Amino acid sequence: MTSATAQGVAGRNKPTRSRYLIMVMLFITVVINYLDRSNLSIALPALKDEFDLTTVQEGLILSAFGWTYAAMQIPGGWLVDRVAPRLLYALALIFWSAATLLMGFGTSFAVLVGLRLLVGAVEAPAYPINNRVVTAWFPERERATAIGFYTSGQFVGLAFLTPVLNWLQHSHGWYMVFVVTGAAGIVWGVIWWLIYREPRDFKGANEAEIEHICAGGGLVDLGSQSAAKTKQTFNWKDFSLVLSRRKLWGVYLGQFCLTSTLWFFLTWFPTYLVKYRGMDYIQSGFLTAVPFLAAFVGVLCSGLLSDWMIRRGASLGAARKTPIITGLLISTVMIGANYVESTSWVIFFLALAFFGNGLASITWSLVSALAPTRLLGLTGGVFNLIGNLSAIVTPLIIGFLVQGGSFAPAIAYVAILALLGALSYILLVGKVERVTED
């Protein structure tokens, strides 16, 4: 064999890196996903003035997304186990983005609530799809980094684009916030349909990359399994299974506590800065970006640290749980914002707390590692259902807690939940190993 021929064979045997393109696509999708979740919080101060909303009504409209988002998690997870991500994600993106765009033409509180309910319902399969895609495309030792990278999209997108959306509202009116974010999602839905394929069907992935993913525990044949299950009906035994394991309840309850901090930042945070800390819209827009940047750094550190620990010989449980528990404990420092007056110190405590939230946000890596192989979508749906009940509870409880004119009880509430989340991972999850169906 000549040297040139040997090099050619070696090149063909070297794994391609198509999985990193998939990781970037998930990142972009998450950016859009979270812009469509948080754009209402940016427009809310202007909507409050235009529609003369009370604090309770503000809480209701902010929580509307969460009602349908949580309610549709089980059906959404069931769909993820049966419908290919290429089709399901494209449809979800286009429909929730269309509903977002229509919010820009809302003429009443009731219309805005109705559209927000629709956005929540159609976004429901998004994170179970993300988990399904990364489980198929990445070996175990790369998976936390992939999850950390695409999860960082929820923070970096908001960090850099929140000031832009604040400028759009200030210059062109609140309706443009919804029109621009909705239009972006529709375009990306079409692009996802055109590009995404399963690992064995993706032209850019060679056999060496497929073998690399398989050897590392990636489930590259989930696509064929999904196709085989499309005609199956809902099975209550499957539902009972994913609700009967203590270690799964550990991640379910931990996720509720983790996302309570996230939903404070996605809903009440801009109002907190404007109304309770006396900042104007432009100033608050730039200051809002600081905690999101901190969370972005936290989530990147989380994935890299977790996979580094695995490569250094740490157990899967230690590598996955250490960043999560540490991050939740760090998040409790947000209570310090109740005891300072300086804007700089307020932002410091909240940025540190959100850094901790980012550090803890690779929780989906535990779903990948714990869920029964046949029920990844359903387990992810239950996980996201219980976790995102906070999307309902957090805005509503904060709306009631701040009726007296002080935001301190709301900050304390979120900090206490972060502590309870850490205890859930410490006491309930136990050894990290895949749940069997025996």
Side-chain angles (χ1 to χ4, degrees):
M1 182 182 293
T2 66
S3 175
T5 303
Q7 290 177 3
V9 171
R12 287 194 298 272
N13 291 334
K14 184 178 180 181
T16 50
R17 297 185 176 182
S18 295
R19 60 194 184 280
Y20 297 121
L21 171 62
I22 301 301
M23 184 169 67
V24 171
M25 291 178 66
L26 288 175
F27 173 87
I28 295 171
T29 307
V30 169
V31 170
I32 293 170
N33 185 291
Y34 268 79
L35 283 177
D36 289 342
R37 296 185 191 198
S38 66
N39 50 19
L40 178 61
S41 69
I42 295 168
L44 187 61
L47 290 171
K48 174 181 173 60
D49 293 338
E50 181 161 336
F51 296 106
D52 195 24
L53 304 179
T54 66
T55 57
V56 174
Q57 285 178 312
E58 289 179 88
L60 285 170
I61 194 171
L62 287 170
S63 72
F65 172 96
W67 288 98
T68 48
Y69 184 75
M72 293 300 294
Q73 284 303 314
I74 302 301
W78 184 82
L79 282 173
V80 170
D81 285 330
R82 287 158 177 79
V83 181
R86 181 190 179 205
L87 174 61
L88 186 58
Y89 225 162
L91 291 175
L93 272 160
I94 291 169
F95 280 106
W96 93 55
S97 298
T100 296
L101 188 151
L102 289 174
M103 286 188 69
F105 302 94
T107 55
S108 68
F109 172 74
V111 169
L112 292 173
V113 168
L115 287 169
R116 192 67 174 170
L117 289 167
L118 182 57
V119 173
V122 185
E123 276 201 23
Y127 262 72
I129 295 174
N130 294 342
N131 189 55
R132 155 72 173 73
V133 168
V134 83
T135 302
W137 270 97
F138 285 86
E140 188 67 63
R141 67 184 220 166
E142 298 177 7
R143 197 171 296 158
T145 299
I147 291 172
F149 181 79
Y150 78 65
T151 302
S152 72
Q154 68 193 43
F155 302 117
V156 71
L158 296 175
F160 290 109
L161 296 177
T162 292
V164 175
L165 296 182
N166 272 281
W167 172 81
L168 270 176
Q169 175 180 284
H170 182 73
S171 301
H172 301 286
W174 61 264
Y175 68 94
M176 283 301 295
V177 173
F178 299 109
V179 170
V180 170
T181 52
I186 293 171
V187 171
W188 183 248
V190 174
I191 294 173
W192 176 274
W193 164 259
L194 293 174
I195 296 177
Y196 182 80
R197 299 292 188 279
E198 299 286 11
R200 293 193 187 278
D201 299 325
F202 197 84
K203 292 183 179 180
N206 65 7
E207 190 59 35
E209 182 172 19
I210 302 299
E211 291 176 1
H212 171 75
I213 296 170
C214 287
L219 306 181
V220 297
D221 294 314
L222 276 175
S224 58
Q225 294 174 22
S226 296
K229 290 188 289 185
T230 53
K231 296 183 180 180
Q232 294 181 13
T233 58
F234 182 81
N235 187 333
W236 282 104
K237 289 183 179 180
D238 293 342
F239 190 51
S240 176
L241 172 64
V242 300
L243 286 176
S244 63
R245 297 295 192 270
R246 186 192 69 176
K247 60 176 73 268
L248 292 179
W249 272 104
V251 296
Y252 298 158
L253 296 175
Q255 186 71 357
F256 173 85
C257 296
L258 176 72
T259 55
S260 293
T261 300
L262 175 62
W263 278 103
F264 158 69
F265 281 97
L266 292 180
T267 56
W268 279 99
F269 181 44
T271 299
Y272 170 63
L273 294 183
V274 172
K275 182 176 179 180
Y276 296 89
R277 289 293 178 171
M279 303 175 196
D280 60 41
Y281 293 130
I282 300 299
Q283 181 188 20
S284 69
F286 283 100
L287 290 177
T288 298
V290 177
F292 284 105
L293 285 173
F296 167 66
V297 173
V299 74
L300 288 184
C301 290
S302 184
L304 292 171
L305 172 63
S306 182
D307 283 345
W308 176 82
M309 289 178 67
I310 288 179
R311 290 192 293 271
R312 299 287 292 182
S315 69
L316 182 63
R320 298 301 190 233
K321 290 196 292 184
T322 297
I324 295 170
I325 294 169
T326 303
L328 283 162
L329 292 174
I330 291 173
S331 292
T332 64
V333 305
M334 72 184 302
I335 201 167
N338 285 344
Y339 302 99
V340 295
E341 295 297 329
S342 164
T343 298
S344 297
W345 277 108
V346 169
I347 296 300
F348 169 78
F349 281 116
L350 294 178
L352 183 58
F354 215 15
F355 167 83
N357 190 264
L359 190 65
S361 64
I362 58 163
T363 49
W364 277 98
S365 66
L366 284 178
V367 178
S368 293
L370 295 171
T373 301
R374 188 176 59 85
L375 301 173
L376 275 170
L378 183 60
T379 307
V382 174
F383 173 79
N384 226 20
L385 163 63
I386 296 173
N388 280 283
L389 289 176
S390 63
I392 303 168
V393 174
T394 301
L396 283 175
I397 288 184
I398 290 178
F400 282 101
L401 289 176
V402 303
Q403 287 184 97
S406 171
F407 214 88
I411 296 290
Y413 166 77
V414 178
I416 290 169
L417 283 180
L419 177 60
L420 293 176
L423 292 174
S424 179
Y425 279 98
I426 292 170
L427 300 176
L428 296 179
V429 173
K431 183 179 180 180
V432 175
E433 57 187 2
R434 193 169 300 282
V435 170
T436 64
E437 300 187 44
D438 298 334

